[in-house]
Amino acid sequence: MASSSIKAISTTSPFKASSSPSSQPPSSSKPSLLSFLHTSSSNPISLKLSHSHSHAHNSHSHSFLITNVLKIADSSETSVSKSQNLKPTSSDSTPTILVSEKLGEAGLQVLRGFGNLECAYNLSPEELCAKISTCDALIVRSGTKVTRQVFEAAKGRLKVVGRAGVGIDNVDLQAATEFGCLVVNAPTANTVAAAEHGIALLTAMSRNVAQADASIKAGKWLRNKYVGVSLVGKTLAVMGFGKVGSEVARRAKGLGMNVISHDPYAPADRARAVGVDLVSFEQAIATADFISLHMPLTPATSKVFNDETFAKMKKGVRIINVARGGVIDEDALVRALDSGVVAQAALDVFTEEPPTKDSKLVQHENVTLTPHLGASTKEAQEGVAIEIAEAVVGALKGELSATAVNAPMVPPEVLSELSPYVVLAEKLGKLAVQLVAGGSGITSVRVVYKSARDPDDLDTRLLRAMITKGIIEPISASFINLVNADFVAKQKGLRISEERVAVDSSPEFPVDSIQVQISNVGSKFASSVSESGSISIEGKVKYGEPHLTCLGSFGVDVSLEGNLILCRQVDQPGMIGQVGNILGNDNVNVSFMSVGRTVQKKALMAIGVDEEPNKRTLEKIGKIVKNSANLIYGRSEGLGIAL
Ligand SMILES: NC(=O)C1=CN([C@@H]2O[C@H](COP(=O)(O)OP(=O)(O)OC[C@H]3O[C@@H](n4cnc5c(N)ncnc54)[C@H](O)[C@@H]3O)[C@@H](O)[C@H]2O)C=CC1
Ligand SMILES: O=C(O)C(=O)COP(=O)(O)O
């Protein structure tokens, strides 16, 4: 973040007292994925204080800070962020789910039972953009292009895109991530259908079924023309040994074929278990009689079958593509077919769908075509529809989806265990950023997790995302969630480093404490600065609630719920009494007090108050602090609450 990027709303203070009431629910409520995806922090930090560790009121305030009532905004970033990822407009009504392509009835029923369902097929890109800002979820198949323009047009409302199938190359994942929109797919229900279609094309092509059928219908009887080739004993190269590829391999083995496969990421033992050898790309294409494509379309696989690679194939090779048209350079394929290098091709997928009728590829007599039917069996479509409907409904309800494509996967049991720490992480982030003096640019955040667990047994991605959310959301218009936290942090130049420290506590709990340090910034509250010069706060989960346990060099124990007043104090009698009187006279109930001391006999007082003190009350407290002869950090910006 550039140093000028955090600006104060107020001209007199980098922080401004917010007039909005604290209304956030207690943190002990169990967070769901939705809270990581769509909780907008439009409210300032809400830290309801409780009880514990009360101390006598006989100390004195110096610099102090009210955490809850501060709200900072970053006017310079607002315009940038608005074009990136808007905080969603609140819609607590029934969610609207738009289905833009035909989906199995069983899935539609699941969706109807949950939200307002709108099925609108064959929308133009403009029509989709016009509709999308009223939708919380969009379900597509391969025919809808979910572009950046769609996410922009959604104006922050679209929470989840469900791809009723495997390939998500028609969804702009980068844009989805930037806008904090979760993308889920249905990766398993159509595997068998696609594999069966691959085998159907393989056998149909090798025996000229489609061409022979067309010729009979044209009144011809061409028994000599349509002599086929046998499959038994032939070598099939399966390119991509994933779900579909491995099922194709299994079936091809049953047909008596010798199956090899190329997949740089597949484990060799999984292939060997099916009797398939994994080989290099070169070896696969040079030895195969048949090549069946089953890899995803990615920048690395785009047009991987081109003039150069066709030239390395065995003359007379036959190619089946049930994956994505874009993995083949279609013009090069026509040339290879014309020269006889490729004897036949069977294609279910095309670079542009539908392909133009007069394309040379479509019209080539050695090419067998189907209109992207790989997933189109009754069984697969029912399965995919249920799979995607449940994933979308789950995401809208805030549950974790096992098929999220652009969010870190956190298994439900891990999520449940981490829940209170997730709340703590966000609150620490929010508190830490409020301690930064206006005009400081935050670039470097260090997070230290103290834990008795093995490093492998602690997944911190969620915690890091929530700390990022806590830090960034209060200072920008950006809407941050689990999906886009890392992206937005990077975009803002915020470097978040993590460290694990082993402690000798109970491994029953995933985390003992979380420390957030912000370095190279000025502090609004000097007591929050540790000896290393960084703003440093540490918290723990106690009885299921987030607690602040360390601020700068001071040990405290403050429940991070409600409103919090932090006072630096020295040995000057009467100060706490005065502060207490002011709060009491203004009907602000002090719920607890915690005092932390250092060896230098400096102390820090944390006062929990039930009600949010108003500006006048804060001004009165501010005067007491300012008038104190013992101000250690006598900077007015430390008293931002009163300004
Ligand atoms: N025509 C249709 O209706 C259907 C098409 N598909 C397509 O089939 C393809 C495979 O789907 P699944 O098997 O479910 O996906 P998958 O993710 O299970 O398998 C893809 C495999 O490709 C491998 N791979 C990645 N890069 C590769 C490369 N450069 N070279 C070789 N292998 C590479 C991966 O390691 C993975 O094992 C996808 O493109 C999908 O969109 C899937 C279902 C239906
Ligand atoms: O699942 C896939 O990747 C497919 O290609 C299936 O596409 P479809 O849902 O039939 O448009």
Side-chain angles (χ1 to χ4, degrees), residues 141-142 163 165-169 186-188 190-191 193-195 197 238-246 261-267 270 281 293-298 300-302 304-305 321-324 327 348-349 353 370-376 381:
R141 287 176 60 187
S142 60
R163 180 359 183 160
V166 182
I168 30 88
D169 43 286
T188 57
N190 67 21
T191 299
H197 198 64
V238 171
M239 309 301 280
F241 198 78
K243 293 184 293 295
V244 179
S246 56
S261 177
H262 169 69
D263 187 326
Y265 314 108
R270 199 158 57 81
F281 181 86
L293 312 186
H294 301 290
M295 66 261 270
L297 177 60
T298 65
T301 61
S302 174
V304 74
F305 299 95
N321 189 5
V322 190
R324 282 294 176 269
V327 302
D348 183 47
V349 284
E353 294 186 359
T370 50
H372 202 145
L373 291 180
S376 295
Q381 280 312 305

Side-chain angles (χ1 to χ4, degrees), residues 59-65 524-529 551-554 565-572 575-576 579 594-598 600-607 624-625 628 630-634 638-639:
S59 305
H60 322 288
S61 320
H62 291 287
S63 52
F64 75 91
L65 182 87
K524 183 176 172 55
F525 184 62
S527 299
S528 65
V529 177
L551 186 84
S553 309
F554 295 93
I565 304 174
L566 299 171
C567 297
R568 177 70 183 268
Q569 59 186 72
V570 291
D571 194 15
Q572 181 184 320
M575 192 66 80
I576 294 305
V579 172
S594 166
V595 177
R597 292 176 187 281
T598 64
Q600 294 90 8
K601 295 217 184 314
K602 292 170 189 165
L604 179 100
M605 180 178 61
I607 308 170
I624 290 173
V625 175
S628 165
N630 289 316
L631 273 179
I632 294 171
Y633 299 102
L639 312 171

